[in-house]
Amino acid sequence: MPFFDTQSRDQLRASYIEAWRKRRERLPMQPLEMQIADVIELHPEYQQALQDPDSVLDRDYSPEGGQSNPFLHMGLHLAIRDQLATDRPPGIRSAFDNLVRRMGDAHAAEHELIECLAETLWESQRSGLPPDEHAYLARVTRQR
């Protein structure tokens, strides 16, 4: 999503906060804001924090401290949804549909894809190579 490439961490976080504010206040939204708000709706555990910008804008979420980064998690949901909309890598949509049929829950199936994507991105970062779409899709299809 090129939109996110041009934003600082604070600007990116502010876009989540603003999208959630607009959803709560039933204000007009841009398409990307609607996508963000849809993901936030699926995560009630993050909603209160997004209503208190001072609690999240400057906060560092460290895995060492046992903290999950809600912005990373929601961003991965958005990435998965973009992959599904474009069927990239080819076959991801079909693999996802199979997971949804097996699990009976699209949100849970997205979480399965997020785990696979996160592992693929971690490997890419560690190796210094681009993410391996074939390895990613293989991970996803093993989830069936």
Side-chain angles (χ1 to χ4, degrees), residues 16-122:
Y16 281 79
I17 291 164
E18 181 65 6
W20 188 236
R21 182 188 70 78
K22 285 182 175 181
R23 174 65 55 92
R24 288 187 342 267
E25 296 177 9
R26 293 181 167 71
L27 296 172
M29 301 171 78
Q30 297 295 319
L32 182 56
E33 290 174 320
M34 288 187 273
Q35 290 177 34
I36 291 169
D38 289 346
V39 168
I40 294 168
E41 277 190 354
L42 293 172
H43 295 88
E45 68 274 24
Y46 302 148
Q47 293 171 7
Q48 190 62 41
L50 293 170
Q51 293 176 59
D52 180 15
D54 293 335
S55 73
V56 293
L57 277 178
D58 294 327
R59 184 170 177 189
D60 288 322
Y61 296 91
S62 112
E64 297 80 24
Q67 300 172 319
S68 173
N69 184 329
F71 298 101
L72 174 60
H73 181 81
M74 291 185 291
L76 288 170
H77 270 287
L78 293 170
I80 293 297
R81 289 172 178 209
D82 187 60
Q83 291 175 348
L84 296 174
T86 60
D87 195 31
R88 178 155 182 188
I92 193 72
R93 182 73 216 188
S94 174
F96 175 76
D97 290 343
N98 288 335
L99 273 174
V100 171
R101 276 192 292 282
R102 182 174 63 81
M103 299 177 83
D105 182 357
H107 186 221
E110 280 186 22
H111 279 192
E112 292 292 324
L113 267 64
I114 284 172
E115 291 295 321
C116 296
L117 179 58
E119 186 175 350
T120 302
L121 293 173
W122 178 81

